[in-house]
Amino acid sequence: MIGLLAVVGLTAWGLCRNHRRQVRTTSANGVPDRDLERLLADLRAIS
């Protein structure tokens, strides 16, 4: 049980850390998020 909680906690920590790094990198180099652009284009096409 403690091992499972440790795995879940480390996974959540890793995902948050990765998200923070991606946001910082994207804003630092000025490269737009192509996945976000593609998602918005798909949503516009559906409407």
Side-chain angles (χ1 to χ4, degrees), residues 9-20:
L10 287 172
T11 301
W13 174 78
L15 288 173
C16 288
R17 182 174 180 260
N18 188 37
H19 178 71
R20 284 192 309 265

Side-chain angles (χ1 to χ4, degrees), residues 4-38:
L4 177 63
L5 290 175
V7 168
V8 170
L10 287 172
T11 301
W13 174 78
L15 288 173
C16 288
R17 182 174 180 260
N18 188 37
H19 178 71
R20 284 192 309 265
R21 289 181 63 201
Q22 285 182 345
V23 169
R24 189 178 318 128
T25 303
T26 301
S27 62
N29 62 15
V31 176
D33 184 6
R34 293 187 316 188
D35 291 334
L36 178 61
E37 291 178 0
R38 190 174 302 125

